[in-house]
Amino acid sequence: MNIFLSTVTSFFFGFLMTPVLIMVLKRINFMEAPGGRKIHAGSIPSMGGIAIIFAAFLGLFAWLSFDQIVETRYFLVALGIMFSVGLRDDLIELSATQKLIGQSIPAFFVIVMADIRISGLYGFMGIYEIPYLISVLITFFAILILTNSFNLIDGADGLAGSLSLVTLTILGFWFFSLGMTSYSLISFTLVGGVLAFLAFNWHPAKIFMGDTGSLSLGFALVVLVILFVDKTGTMAPWEGLKVNAPFSAGMAFLIVPIYDTVRIFIKRSLKGKSPLKPDKSHVHHFLLRMGLKHDQVALTLGTVKLSFIGMVFFGYALNDHILFPVLTLVAVSLGIWMDKRTLKNIKNNCKKAPSLSEKGVIRKKKRFARRKPEISKSVLSENKINMN
């Protein structure tokens, strides 16, 4: 019951807070203008993550028991710090070094203080346990890379919210089935905040979540997925639904940002470009070039993610040696198909578009069509003479 009440509380406050936030941001002219990597039309207020996280924390502190707060305190503090980093970056842009330092602090809290980390390879490649220091380093880099990867896919209306909604909902049910009520309540409370935000972020968006939202949500998702991976990798089969391929499951939950990051890194490196330089080569950009609208992009990638997660849970008895190559092959095949389809659409659009000479003729015709008929002054003067 507390999980349901917390979710409803988060949704209620988020739904009431977001329109007020939109109005305030418009009044202070804190808008995100189109151009560069921004593909929206017109100026749209950003920093919608304020409403998501504030609503979620109101729901959490209203319905988490004291013991549950103590159990999850390091995660909650870390989430608050990451929210502050995103808020500062939205208000005054941070340098890459400053942002990295800011993100390292919450990563330290969840890894060292909360002990949420990848504690081993769970039999993958015949390795079960790994040294503590290596475990900390692997988890640290995973949190930083995947959090920023999720931040980069926030480029289409409703996309980041839809993807986080899928992951948080499934994880919420899974944690609940294992009796991990605290993290189940956290997952569903974030679902309530994201649902309220999506009501205003769905295409055409009235507000964006900004780094305030994408960094906070990305961090929460990555940490909860790491908790899931470690728990399902170390639990006994009779404790609940155990997935025998924990790394494949983790990849499925974060398939879109993982694929997007790997794809961009490889393509830019092969072209001699910096992998960190922003451009319009992300997955959602390609889907938009294929002719899909923003809401269709969100639904398409959400369906793809659900399909990957479904493959993992239906094949829960299979291990990573089988599922990991299968998921990788499917992801690469979909990516190749998408690239070919996008290139074909661009070529077709170029063929249909009029040539430069045709465009000049069309412009001239339009210009002459708009010109009003005029009677020459000389003709008028000649007529007057003849009449006289």
Side-chain angles (χ1 to χ4, degrees):
M1 180 58 72
N2 282 359
I3 293 175
F4 172 76
L5 291 173
S6 181
T7 306
V8 172
T9 301
S10 177
F11 176 83
F12 178 77
F13 279 106
F15 194 78
L16 291 180
M17 194 183 303
T18 306
V20 178
L21 183 63
I22 293 172
M23 181 188 68
V24 171
L25 292 172
K26 284 184 176 180
R27 285 194 176 182
I28 63 176
N29 200 29
F30 202 90
M31 313 282 278
E32 197 168 279
R37 289 178 61 247
K38 311 299 180 183
I39 53 178
H40 59 275
S43 296
I44 308 292
S46 187
M47 295 172 64
I50 294 174
I52 299 175
I53 303 303
F54 264 71
F57 270 107
L58 285 171
L60 289 172
F61 287 118
W63 299 105
L64 278 174
S65 67
F66 178 77
D67 291 338
Q68 289 173 328
I69 291 176
V70 171
E71 179 188 354
T72 60
R73 64 191 183 278
Y74 296 119
F75 172 82
L76 297 177
V77 170
L79 181 58
I81 295 172
M82 187 62 79
F83 169 78
S84 302
V85 173
L87 181 62
R88 165 62 196 276
D89 193 40
D90 278 334
L91 292 171
I92 304 172
E93 189 172 355
L94 296 170
S95 67
T97 305
Q98 290 173 330
K99 191 181 289 188
L100 183 64
I101 294 171
Q103 293 171 353
S104 299
I105 298 171
F108 168 81
F109 268 87
V110 295
I111 296 170
V112 178
M113 307 299 288
D115 199 33
I116 298 175
R117 56 188 174 86
I118 300 169
S119 61
L121 295 189
Y122 320 110
F124 186 49
M125 296 186 294
I127 302 171
Y128 288 88
E129 295 183 5
I130 56 177
Y132 177 78
L133 184 58
I134 295 176
S135 167
V136 169
L137 290 175
I138 291 174
T139 310
F140 179 79
F141 285 112
I143 290 175
L144 292 186
I145 293 170
L146 294 174
T147 298
N148 286 288
S149 299
F150 186 84
N151 182 35
L152 292 175
I153 65 164
D154 181 29
D157 297 349
L159 177 56
S162 300
L163 294 178
S164 59
L165 202 65
V166 171
T167 300
L168 290 169
T169 302
I170 295 174
L171 286 178
F173 280 113
W174 190 83
F175 287 136
F176 182 77
S177 69
L178 261 68
M180 301 174 67
T181 311
S182 303
Y183 288 100
S184 177
L185 192 144
I186 289 173
S187 300
F188 280 115
T189 305
L190 287 170
V191 165
V194 172
L195 271 176
F197 173 75
L198 276 176
F200 302 93
N201 182 243
W202 200 251
H203 187 67
K206 300 178 180 66
I207 188 171
F208 300 140
M209 66 171 62
D211 284 353
T212 310
S214 59
L215 284 179
S216 302
L217 274 181
F219 175 76
L221 287 172
V222 173
V223 172
L224 291 173
V225 168
I226 289 174
L227 180 61
F228 163 82
V229 168
D230 189 61
K231 182 63 180 176
T232 194
T234 55
M235 64 186 279
W238 58 82
E239 291 183 63
L241 178 56
K242 177 181 173 62
V243 178
N244 287 323
F247 287 117
S248 300
M251 183 175 75
F253 277 119
L254 299 168
I255 186 63
V256 177
I258 288 175
Y259 171 77
D260 189 52
T261 301
V262 173
R263 175 179 169 275
I264 286 176
F265 184 86
I266 293 173
K267 282 201 165 188
R268 291 179 186 172
S269 298
L270 291 175
K271 292 180 180 179
K273 297 180 180 179
S274 171
L276 303 177
K277 189 177 180 180
D279 60 11
K280 292 184 179 179
S281 60
H282 293 278
V283 173
H284 52 274
H285 291 132
F286 272 72
L287 290 175
L288 288 169
R289 291 191 192 106
M290 285 174 62
L292 298 181
K293 297 179 181 178
H294 284 249
D295 50 353
Q296 293 173 327
V297 170
L299 291 173
T300 299
L301 290 178
T303 303
V304 169
K305 185 174 186 173
L306 269 174
S307 302
F308 274 83
I309 295 173
M311 289 169 63
V312 168
F313 277 97
F314 279 115
Y316 68 94
L318 302 174
N319 58 30
D320 278 314
H321 295 98
I322 298 173
L323 270 183
F324 197 84
V326 169
L327 295 183
T328 303
L329 181 63
V330 173
V332 171
S333 300
L334 283 175
I336 293 172
W337 174 83
M338 180 190 68
D339 286 352
K340 289 183 177 179
R341 181 69 182 272
T342 304
L343 186 61
K344 184 178 179 181
N345 280 13
I346 293 173
K347 286 182 178 179
N348 290 336
N349 291 335
C350 290
K351 288 179 181 178
K352 292 177 183 178
S355 63
L356 292 175
S357 58
E358 289 175 340
K359 287 180 180 179
V361 172
I362 292 170
R363 281 197 295 268
K364 285 181 181 178
K365 286 182 178 180
K366 288 182 178 179
R367 188 165 64 249
F368 286 125
R370 287 195 298 268
R371 185 179 296 171
K372 293 181 181 180
E374 296 179 359
I375 301 174
S376 174
K377 292 181 180 180
S378 60
V379 173
L380 287 175
S381 60
E382 288 176 4
N383 287 340
K384 285 182 180 179
I385 293 171
N386 292 333
M387 288 175 66
N388 292 332

